[in-house]
Amino acid sequence: MEYIRITSIEDPLFTQMHNLMKSIFPPEEVLAFDLWREPLQDPDIRVFVAVHEGQVVGSTEYRYVTALNVAMTDFTIIGKPGLGIGRFLYKNRERDLDQLAAEAGVQMLGMFAEIYDPYQSIDLEFGGVTPMNPIVRREVLSHLGYQRLDFPYVHPSWGNDGEAVDGLDFCFMPKDDQIVALPGQLIVDFLSWYYSVLPNKPQAWLDMIERLKETPEVALRPL
């Protein structure tokens, strides 16, 4: 299996990846094909695919924010069971992020992720691919060390229609297991940066950000 970075929507592997995304994720979670052009050219956004026998069978997108010393897992897609795709993507992503942090002269604080709460949204099918079932994914991410940040979370729809998307938890996987909370301002700074690409912010998201600004620390809770 090969771990290949995608940097252009003209890459045939990107077309395969985008089709895989559309077959698995809900429509509001998938950025339109043409809107990927600039993000793929951004050096801070790292999109990789797992290629098996010429076919894209998995993908992951993530980024490392040097100024905040944190990373974000945007998504991880496992297209087929029984190939070890999840472990393959995880280990390659980990090596890449550790290298980026080393080049910055630090050890990364940890990594954010938006994780579906299947107990809020039990009807999520995710393309019928068993490894992508929200319950399976939540337990796997818990095993890896992700914890839920203890505040009600919404995010702007990637359709840029001003709608708020709920049914997810905002989570964090600290490098140091002794970390039990994050500064509210760190979360504000990261989310403000992360969603700066979407100009149509829902009021629910703006209200959430204002509450976080007034919260000194946000506790990490078990998933």
Side-chain angles (χ1 to χ4, degrees):
M1 200 178 299
E2 298 175 273
Y3 190 66
I4 300 175
R5 188 174 184 184
I6 304 295
T7 58
S8 170
I9 63 173
E10 276 77 36
D11 189 330
L13 293 177
F14 175 72
T15 301
Q16 287 192 44
M17 187 199 84
H18 198 258
N19 287 337
L20 184 61
M21 292 182 71
K22 290 191 296 182
S23 73
I24 289 177
F25 289 125
E28 67 272 13
E29 295 296 322
V30 181
L31 192 65
F33 188 97
D34 290 340
L35 295 180
W36 279 88
R37 185 180 299 276
E38 290 188 12
L40 288 175
Q41 295 172 351
D42 186 332
D44 293 328
I45 298 176
R46 307 179 76 77
V47 179
F48 285 82
V49 290
V51 180
H52 177 66
E53 297 180 346
Q55 296 297 312
V56 172
V57 294
S59 178
T60 185
E61 176 185 315
Y62 53 97
R63 58 195 81 194
Y64 174 61
V65 187
T66 305
L68 301 176
N69 192 27
V70 293
M72 171 75 170
T73 303
D74 298 330
F75 62 77
T76 299
I77 299 173
I78 299 168
K80 292 183 178 180
L83 293 176
I85 297 167
R87 178 71 175 175
F88 176 81
L89 293 173
Y90 171 72
K91 292 305 292 182
N92 278 280
R93 182 178 63 216
E94 182 181 51
R95 282 192 288 267
D96 189 34
L97 285 169
D98 285 346
Q99 178 62 33
L100 292 172
E103 290 171 1
V106 295
Q107 176 176 295
M108 187 175 64
L109 183 64
M111 190 180 332
F112 290 109
E114 294 172 332
I115 299 176
Y116 280 95
D117 182 354
Y119 308 105
Q120 293 186 51
S121 305
I122 59 175
D123 59 339
L124 292 172
E125 294 294 334
F126 281 80
V129 180
T130 303
M132 294 297 293
N133 180 285
I135 295 175
V136 174
R137 295 174 72 226
R138 193 175 178 91
E139 288 305 312
V140 168
L141 291 166
S142 177
H143 275 68
L144 291 178
Y146 276 99
Q147 300 175 66
R148 175 179 60 86
L149 284 158
D150 194 12
F151 70 97
Y153 183 66
V154 297
H155 78 72
S157 167
W158 285 104
N160 196 30
D161 51 12
E163 293 297 318
V165 178
D166 57 14
L168 302 101
D169 290 316
F170 197 50
C171 301
F172 190 71
M173 179 175 64
K175 277 282 191 179
D176 183 350
D177 289 339
Q178 300 303 309
I179 294 175
V180 297
L182 290 184
Q185 190 60 49
L186 173 62
I187 302 169
V188 168
D189 291 343
F190 178 80
L191 289 174
S192 299
W193 171 84
Y194 186 69
Y195 283 109
S196 62
V197 68
L198 296 176
N200 296 322
K201 305 291 198 310
Q203 189 61 47
W205 186 89
L206 295 172
D207 292 344
M208 178 191 75
I209 291 296
E210 289 304 312
R211 288 193 296 270
L212 285 169
K213 287 179 180 178
E214 302 300 321
T215 306
E217 285 196 333
V218 179
L220 288 163
R221 306 294 188 193
L223 279 179

